[in-house]
Amino acid sequence: MGKVERDTDGNIAALKQVAAQFAVAVTPHLQAQIDPSDPKDPIARQFLPDAAELVTLPHERIDPIGDTAHSPVAGIVHRYPDRALLKLVNVCPVYCRFCFRREMVGPGSKGLSAEQLDAAIDYIAQHPAIWEVILTGGDPLIVSPRRLKEVIAKLNAIPHLGVIRIHSRVPVVDPARITDAMADALKSSEKAVWLLLHANHAREFVAESVAAIRKLVEAGVPMLGQSVLLKGVNDSPAALTDLFRAMVQNRIKPHYLHHGDLARGTSHFRVSLEEGQTLMRRLRGHYSGLLQPTYILDIPGGHGKVPVGPVYAEPQDDGSWTVSDPWGCSHAYDDPATR
């Protein structure tokens, strides 16, 4: 791992406290993308520790989206009827400073043993309503291609599964891991494999990352993008547009824009829901529909994800509707299906 210290205030003691509480790691690839002369560098802000992480607000939680309450066996989170998370590992090549699982991942965090993995896959096999398995963690693409292929083979043997989804940051934070062998492991699946890439800023799409993404796409792996709305990183129409254009230009469809979760020590990244809705409204109509993700909130306590984007249609007392266009003008709409 590369050098990770960056403390514009010289508060080395505070940074050591951060590192004692939360995992810190930055790949040499990412270190090379950081502009040390820019105190607002969006790559540094995402990955380098900050003394602000020591501030915990009353509403922040150790398990902000309620994974624990929906974990029937080790490695499984089963919150929705037709899909389940399989947390294959608890380590990542890098650690995002805003991560909602920051209390559960990092060096020393145990991944699934062989027995636990078998029990987790058996749980999936015993629940025929599960149509989609989401490999997450940690970052599942940190495992070797051989091990990933073995896990995929076990999932392929479950008849009721239709899709294997993989959530990863690896193509943009450690693109050298996307080898031919890794692409072949994903390509080997009999089930459809979809990869959701987590990226938050257009500058993450450097040449090495673009090459890694191309390798996956050309291996037949469809890709979606997910991002987190982060103050000081992408909380402007220009930054979001550049990010989503970078995705689409690399054949990745923006899927989710997550409202920041209430993880401990992340208040300095937080944008209000109102601000997020305003940003999404400023994208609609002005930029290609391909660039429009769903803005979502994962309700604290394990109650699931819901869209929280701006509303464009409002019902009226007389049964008609008032619809706002992308430029803020209102129009009457008489819905003939209700007449």
Side-chain angles (χ1 to χ4, degrees), residues 61 63 79 90 104-105 125 148 163 182 217 249 336 339:
R61 305 179 179 209
D63 182 12
R79 181 180 287 110
N90 288 325
M104 308 168 193
V105 299
L148 184 62
V163 174
M182 182 67 79
V217 172
Q249 286 169 194
R339 300 299 183 184

Side-chain angles (χ1 to χ4, degrees), residues 14-185:
L15 293 187
K16 288 181 178 179
Q17 290 183 55
V18 172
Q21 292 188 43
F22 306 114
V24 179
V26 179
T27 57
H29 169 81
L30 272 184
Q31 189 76 41
Q33 311 312 319
I34 294 172
D35 180 358
S37 67
D38 181 5
K40 297 182 179 180
D41 183 272
I43 306 299
R45 184 164 173 80
Q46 291 185 71
F47 300 107
L48 298 192
D50 190 313
E53 294 176 55
L54 298 175
V55 177
T56 299
L57 300 183
H59 54 267
E60 293 178 339
R61 305 179 179 209
I62 290 175
D63 182 12
I65 67 168
D67 274 356
T68 303
H70 296 278
S71 185
V73 299
I76 293 288
V77 178
H78 192 186
R79 181 180 287 110
Y80 306 102
D82 81 333
R83 55 207 183 276
L85 302 183
L86 174 55
K87 296 198 287 186
L88 190 58
V89 292
N90 288 325
V91 293
C92 302
V94 299
Y95 294 101
C96 304
R97 308 320 306 161
F98 48 87
C99 179
F100 67 95
R101 290 200 181 110
R102 63 194 329 226
E103 311 276 356
M104 308 168 193
V105 299
S109 299
K110 293 182 179 179
L112 295 181
S113 67
E115 293 77 15
Q116 287 173 324
L117 177 59
D118 286 343
I121 291 177
D122 185 62
Y123 176 89
I124 296 166
Q126 296 302 316
H127 288 76
I130 298 177
W131 174 78
E132 179 181 23
V133 166
I134 301 165
L135 298 186
T136 182
D139 196 313
L141 292 191
I142 203 171
V143 306
S144 70
R146 177 191 57 78
R147 188 179 179 211
L148 184 62
K149 193 170 185 178
E150 290 173 353
V151 172
I152 287 174
K154 291 181 179 182
L155 295 173
N156 276 325
I158 301 175
H160 58 261
L161 282 186
V163 174
I164 300 170
R165 193 199 315 179
I166 298 174
H167 288 188
S168 180
R169 243 189 175 312
V170 163
V172 292
V173 303
D174 199 5
R177 288 184 180 272
I178 306 300
T179 60
D180 289 341
M182 182 67 79
D184 288 343

Side-chain angles (χ1 to χ4, degrees), residues 66 83 94 104 116 120 129 142 203 220 226 271 292 294 299 310 334:
R83 55 207 183 276
V94 299
M104 308 168 193
Q116 287 173 324
I142 203 171
R203 275 186 42 205
Q226 60 177 349
V271 176
Q292 313 289 331
T294 301
I299 303 171
D334 189 12

Side-chain angles (χ1 to χ4, degrees), residues 12 30 43 45-46 53 67 88 90 95 120 146 148 173 187 206 208 213 253 274 282-283 285 296 298 318 322 333 335:
I12 301 301
L30 272 184
I43 306 299
R45 184 164 173 80
Q46 291 185 71
E53 294 176 55
D67 274 356
L88 190 58
N90 288 325
Y95 294 101
R146 177 191 57 78
L148 184 62
V173 303
K187 190 177 180 180
V206 296
E208 297 90 341
I213 292 165
K253 173 66 180 78
E274 183 178 4
R282 291 181 67 181
L283 297 185
I296 61 166
D298 211 328
D318 64 358
T322 297
Y333 178 73
D335 186 357

Side-chain angles (χ1 to χ4, degrees), residues 200-213:
N200 297 316
H201 197 274
R203 275 186 42 205
E204 296 174 50
F205 291 83
V206 296
E208 297 90 341
S209 300
V210 167
I213 292 165

